Amino acid sequence: MEERNECLVTQDKRFKREIMTTIRQDDVIDSVADALQFISYYHPKDFIDAVHEAYLKEESQAAKDAMAQILINSRMCAEGKRPICQDTGIVTVFVKVGMNVQWDAELSLTDMINEGVRRAYTHEDNVLRASILEDPAGARKNTKDNTPAVIHYEIVPGNTVDVQIAAKGGGSENKSKMAMLNPSDSIVDWVLKTVPTMGAGWCPPGMLGIGIGGTAEKAAVMAKEALMEPIDIHELRARGPQSRVEELRLEIMDKVNDLGIGAQGLGGLTTVMDVKILDYPTHAASLPVVMIPNCAATRHAHFELTGSGPALQAAPNLADWPEITWEAGESAKRINLNTVTKDDIAALKPGDTVLLTGKMLTGRDAAHKKITEMLAAGEELPVDLKGRFIYYVGPVDPVREEVVGPAGPTTATRMDKFTRTILKETGLMGMIGKAERGQVAIDAIKEFGSVYLMAVGGAAYLVSKAIKHAEVVAFPELGMEAIYEFDVVDMPVSVAVDSLGTSVHQTAPAFWQKKIIAAKSV
């Protein structure tokens, strides 16, 4: 006790001696806005290095092609300063405020951060998609500037303000999992049971952030904060684990990759590139565990305000990006969306690479809900879906000469509950989205001889280059969820569910899991 008191006295004297730092309001706002613009188009170098390494060793051609598109898209975004993904995320901030900080500000720190978010997302040179809806259980009205951010504060010793900031996509955030395990339960077993239930909507390859202990909400915050750390699993493996948490990181990473899920869920050697874990003391009767994945559009930055002005991000060296090329290949099939027939659809097989040319419609959750409500009420739809393809996307607004901003796919399973009704009532022929379909949608696709095609999540800017014309044709009040008509040329996709109901997201991971296990048993 005496030792503890002496420590506290010493610490108190140090605080008093430490010079107070004044942080200006504009410095906070400018630093937040700069960081969010920066991470919208620059991947962290550690992430690029990890994807490239996984790409080089990948044996699954479908997964390798997906990672090639992710790497090409990343370089294009870095060069063009446009968003890596059309989902520019919900802003999450971890702020550590030194106890010897004072403020030259009229706004609260929360309001300063949100003003930075507002300026970043409405920047005229790089408009970012506003995805945040207020009144989430009611009207779900878009706030139009992506505010408010989710902010976590901690008061710490010192005279600086330390900020970790991220923009987290909805597809990966929606796959977050939580369990209140018994103290004797295996965390590894829970992870291995849970990861396959997440599907591929979180856009692997990515990272898993895991929070262990504390209380339910503490575990969730730790899981999210863990994702702010750089990828360093290979350094850990080289030096060897020095704690139970480090042992868990290695064990979970190896066993998750042995599941064979692979990039975009297409089967392969790499599903996760790192596993991050933070823990905290917990109740004797409890073992809270939360797992949150990060996607192929990993976006986070760190800065520290010291009172000397805004903390601005330093542009990376584009020479650090690998030179990757990708072509569809001679085996790719071409579909003219303006003349496509049921026979054309029937000829497509799971895993086929397809290049789409012609006019397609777009639509996400809100549009699908409105369509089904209108059908139920016997009302005429504003667009004719018969024989058409619909792309599940909410694009970024265009800037300068763009026809449309980054326009990658959104998670297709959210549209599953609408699929049978729309196929039956409208004659829709095909769908394009991200990741797998649930069984209810697969059954409907088989029943009506439709097809589901998959575009690569995390390659939104690359995909947008295939779009030659875009205009809103229905539900303009829905903003980015309005129905557009896109005119595309050679838009790359692959067959995820064919007209017979065979899903590549079911067959490929099972094949690669067996192959990985067999190789390890030799």
Side-chain angles (χ1 to χ4, degrees):
M1 181 62 76
E2 286 182 10
E3 214 174 275
R4 173 177 163 76
N5 287 337
E6 287 178 11
C7 180
L8 289 174
V9 169
T10 302
Q11 194 175 54
D12 182 60
K13 288 178 179 177
R14 179 165 54 83
F15 287 165
K16 289 177 180 177
R17 287 198 308 269
E18 198 166 80
I19 299 172
M20 296 292 290
T21 298
T22 299
I23 306 296
R24 296 175 60 249
Q25 176 174 295
D26 286 348
D27 293 345
V28 175
I29 294 170
D30 291 346
S31 300
V32 168
D34 176 73
L36 289 170
Q37 275 286 310
F38 182 89
I39 64 176
S40 76
Y41 44 75
Y42 286 134
H43 268 125
K45 183 180 181 299
D46 56 275
F47 181 85
I48 290 300
D49 290 344
V51 176
H52 188 217
E53 181 181 347
Y55 166 83
L56 292 174
K57 75 175 185 180
E58 186 56 70
E59 298 174 14
S60 162
Q61 191 59 50
K64 195 176 185 76
D65 288 348
M67 285 189 280
Q69 291 187 49
I70 289 168
L71 289 168
I72 293 167
N73 181 77
S74 179
R75 187 181 186 95
M76 288 174 61
C77 293
E79 292 172 341
K81 291 184 169 52
R82 289 294 273 143
I84 294 164
C85 181
Q86 81 290 338
D87 183 349
T88 50
I90 183 169
V91 176
T92 305
V93 192
F94 291 89
V95 187
K96 295 181 179 179
V97 180
M99 294 177 70
N100 281 7
V101 163
Q102 58 186 5
W103 300 93
D104 177 8
E106 296 178 358
L107 299 176
S108 70
L109 182 51
T110 295
D111 287 343
M112 290 183 234
I113 291 171
N114 280 322
E115 179 58 26
V117 174
R118 184 174 295 109
R119 293 185 189 182
Y121 278 74
T122 57
H123 196 293
E124 62 180 8
D125 291 334
N126 182 41
V127 178
L128 305 181
R129 197 184 80 184
S131 303
I132 303 307
L133 310 180
E134 60 187 359
D135 190 15
R140 294 180 67 82
K141 183 180 178 182
N142 198 301
T143 64
K144 300 189 183 300
D145 56 15
N146 225 57
T147 63
V150 176
I151 309 171
H152 304 279
Y153 291 108
E154 185 178 354
I155 304 300
V156 299
N159 62 351
T160 64
V161 177
D162 184 90
V163 180
Q164 299 266 13
I165 193 165
K168 186 75 155 57
S172 60
E173 186 69 6
N174 289 348
K175 301 302 181 180
S176 303
K177 301 294 180 181
M178 177 181 187
M180 299 300 289
L181 301 180
N182 292 319
S184 60
D185 290 343
S186 167
I187 294 170
V188 175
D189 288 350
W190 176 77
V191 170
L192 294 178
K193 178 182 71 175
T194 303
V195 167
T197 71
M198 291 159 52
W202 58 282
C203 285
M207 296 189 292
L208 296 178
I210 299 176
I212 303 172
T215 53
E217 81 281 4
K218 177 65 175 177
V221 172
M222 289 190 297
K224 180 64 66 65
E225 189 173 9
L227 292 172
M228 302 287 184
E229 299 175 3
I231 295 173
D232 64 355
I233 196 81
H234 298 302
E235 291 88 338
L236 169 58
R237 197 182 299 278
R239 68 167 168 79
Q242 297 172 358
S243 67
R244 177 56 183 151
V245 160
E246 291 185 344
E247 291 172 354
L248 278 174
R249 286 180 61 193
L250 292 170
E251 183 179 1
I252 290 171
M253 178 168 171
D254 290 344
K255 290 184 175 179
V256 167
N257 283 334
D258 286 351
L259 294 173
I261 295 168
Q264 303 290 302
L266 296 171
L269 303 180
T270 301
T271 303
V272 293
M273 299 179 297
D274 203 342
V275 175
K276 298 295 186 182
I277 299 176
L278 291 177
D279 64 359
Y280 195 83
T282 193
H283 192 282
S286 303
L287 183 54
V289 183
V290 174
M291 176 167 59
I292 303 178
N294 222 357
C295 64
T298 292
R299 293 168 295 216
H300 60 86
H302 169 251
F303 61 85
E304 186 178 45
L305 295 168
T306 63
S308 59
L312 305 180
Q313 303 296 313
N317 184 352
L318 289 183
D320 291 334
W321 268 251
E323 292 284 354
I324 301 291
T325 59
W326 177 83
E327 294 182 2
E330 295 181 2
S331 62
K333 298 181 178 180
R334 294 180 179 274
I335 292 287
N336 186 329
L337 296 172
N338 301 333
T339 60
V340 63
T341 67
K342 283 285 187 178
D343 288 341
D344 296 329
I345 297 305
L348 297 176
K349 303 301 179 188
D352 282 351
T353 297
V354 180
L355 298 176
L356 301 176
T357 296
K359 296 182 185 298
M360 66 174 65
L361 297 170
T362 76
R364 289 168 43 108
D365 315 59
H368 277 71
K369 185 173 184 289
K370 292 197 74 161
I371 288 171
T372 53
E373 288 173 347
M374 293 179 73
L375 290 171
E379 299 175 11
E380 184 179 351
L381 298 180
V383 288
D384 184 4
L385 301 182
K386 187 174 182 179
R388 304 295 300 271
F389 274 61
I390 197 163
Y391 181 26
Y392 304 148
V393 61
V396 177
D397 289 343
V399 297
R400 297 181 292 278
E401 75 287 350
E402 291 178 344
V403 168
V404 69
T410 197
T411 307
T413 49
R414 299 203 312 274
M415 269 53 75
D416 282 0
K417 65 181 180 181
F418 305 111
T419 298
R420 189 180 189 280
T421 297
I422 291 179
L423 291 179
K424 179 183 178 182
E425 300 294 335
T426 71
L428 184 74
M429 190 175 292
M431 297 150 285
I432 307 156
K434 181 180 77 175
E436 75 284 348
R437 301 306 299 263
Q439 196 59 48
V440 65
I442 293 172
D443 291 344
I445 289 167
K446 180 179 180 181
E447 180 180 355
F448 295 99
S450 181
V451 69
Y452 168 61
L453 308 174
M454 190 202 82
V456 172
Y461 196 41
L462 175 64
V463 170
S464 73
K465 296 305 180 183
I467 303 168
K468 307 306 178 184
H469 181 75
E471 65 176 306
V472 174
V473 294
F475 310 144
E477 70 277 9
L478 296 181
M480 64 92 176
E481 294 207 66
I483 294 180
Y484 288 74
E485 184 175 69
F486 286 169
D487 199 347
V488 303
V489 175
D490 288 347
M491 175 177 164
V493 294
S494 59
V495 180
V497 181
D498 70 1
S499 60
L500 300 178
T502 302
S503 169
V504 73
H505 286 98
Q506 294 176 352
T507 58
F511 170 82
W512 279 95
Q513 183 177 26
K514 289 179 182 178
K515 186 170 183 175
I516 291 167
I517 292 172
K520 288 195 170 187
S521 64
V522 173

